[in-house]
Amino acid sequence: SQTIHQWPATLVQPVGSPLSLECTVEGTSNPNLYWYRQAAGRGLQLLFYSVGIGQISSEVPQNLSASRPQDRQFILSSKKLLLSDSGFYLCAWSATGVAEAFFGQGTRLTVV
Amino acid sequence: QKEVEQDPGPLSVPEGAIVSLNCTYSNSAFQYFMWYRQYSRKGPELLMYTYSSGNKEDGRFTAQVDKSSKYISLFIRDSQPSDSATYLCAMSQNSGGYQKVTFGTGTKLQVIP
């Protein structure tokens, strides 16, 4: 069966510090991978998606970037965090061309 | 106007009640319709996935899609305290070869013992 791992679960970082959140998927090949941010009352906002290694699409301009160095690994990064980057970040995967997405447990990021 | 509208609640019901959760949408290109359940501080969990108009049942859960009215529903029968969570509707459309998913903002449900 497929599983998705996302870490860390919580993170407190000072303004201006770098960020690296990692997500890995097991039990499937060539998944579509996604990073979402969830803010209270605003639902899930798609930040990045990837349909293959090295292929990253950004949905919204922001202070964040994403990379996919391996087929089942997706990384969310920032060089310098802003207070507005605080939120609940979720990684997800889906099979190619399929809408059903499966989520990791999320990372609650607080920038102080 | 948002593409997907969902009443944020909170919705509070007694244990054993039938719960009705709803979303409306404006984009006729949406093809697939999903419901997710999200417990506090956890990632969303896929509950139901439908493609066509009509009903789909899975245990105590029934998903209903009415494409003509652009309206989807999730019914929970014999609700349990463990059903207390936020329920997110989601819909997708084909976008350059991948399914772009748009989520509702979620309805918070509390089932009181």
Side-chain angles (χ1 to χ4, degrees), chain A residues 7 20 23 54 58 68 75-76 86 91 93 111:
Chain A
W7 66 93
S20 181
C23 172
S58 173
R68 183 171 178 173
I75 298 171
L76 183 68
S86 294
C91 180
W93 75 272
V111 182

Side-chain angles (χ1 to χ4, degrees), chain B residues 94-105:
Chain B
N94 190 9
S95 177
Y98 98 104
Q99 288 291 324
K100 180 177 179 180
V101 180
T102 302
F103 287 84
T105 53

Side-chain angles (χ1 to χ4, degrees), chain A:
Chain A
S1 64
Q2 300 86 8
T3 56
I4 179 168
H5 303 280
Q6 183 183 346
W7 66 93
T10 59
L11 190 60
V12 180
Q13 292 283 95
V15 169
S17 64
L19 172 73
S20 181
L21 302 181
E22 189 165 341
C23 172
T24 59
V25 180
E26 296 177 354
T28 187
S29 296
N30 196 32
N32 289 347
L33 296 173
Y34 311 88
W35 280 110
Y36 286 89
R37 179 166 55 202
Q38 187 174 33
R42 296 184 61 186
L44 287 162
Q45 180 186 34
L46 179 63
L47 302 175
F48 300 95
Y49 70 91
S50 171
V51 298
I53 295 174
Q55 300 178 60
I56 309 294
S57 296
S58 173
E59 284 291 303
V60 293
Q62 59 208 314
N63 185 43
L64 302 167
S65 62
S67 62
R68 183 171 178 173
Q70 299 181 47
D71 182 44
R72 291 169 290 175
Q73 183 185 27
F74 207 22
I75 298 171
L76 183 68
S77 304
S78 174
K79 292 182 179 178
K80 289 185 178 181
L81 284 168
L82 306 172
L83 286 174
S84 57
D85 292 323
S86 294
F88 191 48
Y89 289 84
L90 289 155
C91 180
W93 75 272
S94 69
T96 302
V98 174
E100 301 163 273
F102 301 91
F103 286 83
Q105 289 303 293
T107 296
R108 186 158 301 278
L109 171 66
T110 303
V111 182
V112 297

